[in-house]
Amino acid sequence: MDEKMSKVDPKLLDLLVCPLTKGTLSLDRERNELVSERARLAYPIRDGIPIMLVSEARKIED
């Protein structure tokens, strides 16, 4: 695992949902993000903490 990437508690990941759609999220380990396919947003993980703010999310382009 890359030194910059911080491990997120898997139990926490099971509980988190997209704040916009309330849908499920998938972990993108390569980019260190939680991805909402439905909302087309990727939420960053910083220092092991998911930043679940729509304003902080990256829009996923086709």
Side-chain angles (χ1 to χ4, degrees):
M1 186 180 281
D2 189 297
E3 285 180 28
K4 288 185 200 171
M5 292 181 63
S6 302
K7 193 160 173 60
V8 178
D9 185 341
K11 293 176 195 163
L12 177 63
L13 293 178
D14 289 342
L15 297 173
L16 290 175
V17 296
C18 175
L20 193 63
T21 67
K22 308 299 184 236
T24 59
L25 298 166
S26 60
L27 176 62
D28 181 340
R29 291 182 192 279
E30 196 172 294
R31 290 183 176 233
N32 208 28
E33 297 174 327
L34 291 174
V35 177
S36 170
E37 293 293 338
R38 219 165 123 204
R40 308 284 299 149
L41 293 172
Y43 299 93
I45 300 171
R46 297 186 190 127
D47 298 321
I49 301 168
I51 310 300
M52 303 306 297
L53 300 171
V54 173
S55 62
E56 292 287 319
R58 176 178 66 80
K59 289 185 176 128
I60 298 172
E61 306 296 331
D62 287 327

